[in-house]
Amino acid sequence: MAHAQEIQLQIREQESDHGEDGSAPKAAAVRGGSPRGGVRWWLSVAADMFMVLCGQTVATLLGRLYYNSGGNSKWMATLTQSAGSPLLAILLLFTPAPAADEPRPAAAKMAPIYVGLGIIIGFDNLMYSYALQYLPVSTFSLVAATQLGFNSVTSRLINAQRFTVLIANSVVVLTFSAALLGIGASSDETASSVPRGKYPAGFALTLAASAVFALILSLFEATFEKVVRTRTLRWVLRAQLWTNVVASTVSAVGLLASGDWRTIPAEMAAFKDGRARYVATLVGTAVSWQVMAVGSLRLIVRVSSLFANVTGTLSLPLVPVFAVALFGDRMTGIKAVSMLMAVWGFLSYAYQQYIDGRRAAGAGKGRAAAKCRVCAARAGSDPDSPA
């Protein structure tokens, strides 16, 4: 019996150590519903990353195309960033029914969260809409990369993000990767179509929008950690749906109050290549933003808000590559180096996730082995207990 008590004491000490020093690996083991580092976990993360990379790249390019082709309504551009939310309602209908033991936060608790986050998202979308009109694509990507630095601060303060050398390296390298784009921004062909006098305003608005976006990601992570307390696809879609409904309401009210709605018919008629191209551009932008948002939120749930932002930053150097074909930008050596640095920074972060997964798996096996030793000790001592 004494031997069994010693083993139990060792188990308590091991679990205590993991709680103080390895809380992140412990959480990592349960994020996303499957063990971190497993094949299924990495496949799910890869799929979510693909959604973020494709969605953000396409949405940014279509947003620039809207302005280049004759669009001018900032509120319409803002509305497209959240107006695709009805698509989420369709997806929600096909998700599995919630389990009987799944947490169900009270509607009275979730409603203020949805409204608050939705309003913040609505005005953040408006700042991005102004910024994308006032800056060329490459410069916009440069300044938007600061969201990773802002998110490093918010994730540390709000989500208690654990920083390691690899994570710090990833943040620094990705930030410099996007910063390199600014070196050649003055030579971009698209810069000639952007009024020079709007550069300071575009810079300030992009910086402010990036800071607010970083805050939104951290608040989403805190909501799932402390309020929702479950990480199912159903809750991801539900959170994205209702916050986007509120953001769309903010945008629609702004569109009506500003009088921009009166200019839409003329804008549509004057749009390059006609009305069908106008509608297709707006619909494509709306769908792309929803794909990006769902992928980003799933990454927040599975990993962290910082990892979601790292993935989003990885897409920034991809934008100028596609801008070469769409807007006539020139591909330079600086942009190629920027892409390589982005890949390097992302792989650094991904390797940290791999290490965390291995540690979590090792800790789980250690606890299981210790538990077996306790059971064996108890079995060995049971025959003596009646005496």
Side-chain angles (χ1 to χ4, degrees):
M1 289 296 291
H3 180 59
Q5 291 172 351
E6 289 175 4
I7 295 176
Q8 289 175 332
L9 181 59
Q10 290 172 3
I11 295 172
R12 294 192 193 103
E13 289 173 352
Q14 289 172 358
E15 291 178 344
S16 175
D17 289 342
H18 279 280
E20 296 170 2
D21 150 274
S23 56
K26 184 177 180 181
V30 297
R31 281 187 189 274
S34 59
R36 171 172 292 191
V39 175
R40 286 186 59 189
W41 186 85
W42 276 112
L43 288 175
S44 298
V45 169
D48 298 337
M49 287 173 52
F50 183 77
M51 292 172 65
V52 172
L53 293 174
C54 291
Q56 182 165 316
T57 301
V58 173
T60 302
L61 291 171
L62 288 178
R64 183 69 246 176
L65 180 64
Y66 168 76
Y67 290 124
N68 283 3
S69 300
N72 193 50
S73 173
K74 283 81 171 177
W75 281 109
M76 176 59 74
T78 302
L79 182 60
T80 59
Q81 296 181 50
S82 55
S85 53
L87 296 174
L88 303 179
I90 298 175
L91 292 176
L92 195 57
L93 294 175
F94 293 97
T95 56
D101 58 345
E102 180 178 300
R104 290 181 173 83
K109 182 183 292 186
M110 295 303 301
I113 295 176
Y114 291 150
V115 172
L117 283 173
I119 292 174
I120 296 173
I121 291 171
F123 283 102
D124 188 55
N125 291 344
L126 178 63
M127 288 190 286
Y128 271 125
S129 297
Y130 272 94
L132 193 55
Q133 185 182 30
Y134 292 166
L135 293 176
V137 172
S138 294
T139 308
F140 173 82
S141 299
L142 154 71
V143 185
T146 58
Q147 69 189 32
L148 185 57
F150 287 122
N151 194 220
S152 300
V153 176
T154 58
S155 62
R156 178 64 179 174
L157 296 177
I158 299 176
N159 312 121
Q161 170 71 45
R162 182 174 62 93
F163 275 84
T164 65
V165 174
L166 287 173
I167 291 178
N169 174 73
S170 174
V171 171
V172 172
V173 170
L174 280 166
T175 302
F176 275 107
S177 165
L180 276 176
L181 296 176
I183 297 176
S186 60
S187 64
D188 283 348
E189 295 297 329
T190 53
S192 60
S193 65
V194 178
R196 279 288 181 182
K198 299 295 186 180
Y199 267 45
F203 181 88
L205 285 168
T206 309
L207 199 64
S210 298
V212 174
F213 181 72
L215 176 64
I216 290 169
L217 293 181
S218 292
L219 290 176
F220 264 122
E221 183 175 357
T223 299
F224 274 89
E225 287 279 358
K226 301 177 181 179
V227 182
V228 178
R229 297 183 183 276
T230 187
R231 301 173 182 279
T232 62
L233 175 61
R234 188 178 187 85
W235 268 106
V236 168
L237 294 175
R238 186 178 295 172
Q240 184 64 24
L241 170 63
W242 290 115
T243 53
N244 271 257
V245 166
V246 175
S248 298
T249 303
V250 171
S251 303
V253 170
L255 181 66
L256 296 174
S258 65
D260 272 11
W261 63 275
R262 296 189 182 92
T263 67
I264 299 302
E267 181 178 283
M268 186 182 299
F271 199 76
K272 184 179 178 180
D273 295 332
R275 298 171 181 269
R277 178 76 170 270
Y278 180 86
V279 174
T281 300
L282 294 182
V283 171
T285 305
V287 172
S288 299
W289 278 124
Q290 291 306 308
V291 170
M292 177 267 179
V294 171
S296 182
L297 192 53
R298 281 170 61 86
L299 285 177
I300 291 173
V301 169
R302 292 182 186 280
V303 192
S304 69
S305 61
L306 187 59
F307 184 83
N309 215 332
V310 164
T311 304
T313 305
L314 178 63
S315 73
L316 295 179
L318 299 179
V319 173
V321 175
F322 291 97
V324 170
L326 292 176
F327 307 129
D329 285 11
R330 290 184 297 175
M331 174 55 70
T332 64
I334 290 175
K335 292 179 181 179
V337 172
S338 175
M339 287 184 60
L340 292 175
M341 289 182 67
V343 173
W344 173 20
F346 173 77
L347 291 177
S348 177
Y349 200 111
Y351 185 63
Q352 180 62 59
Q353 299 304 314
Y354 171 76
I355 292 175
D356 287 345
R358 293 292 298 270
R359 286 176 179 170
K365 290 179 180 177
R367 285 193 293 269
K371 185 176 181 181
C372 289
R373 289 198 299 270
V374 171
C375 294
R378 284 178 176 170
S381 60
D382 279 347
D384 299 331
S385 55

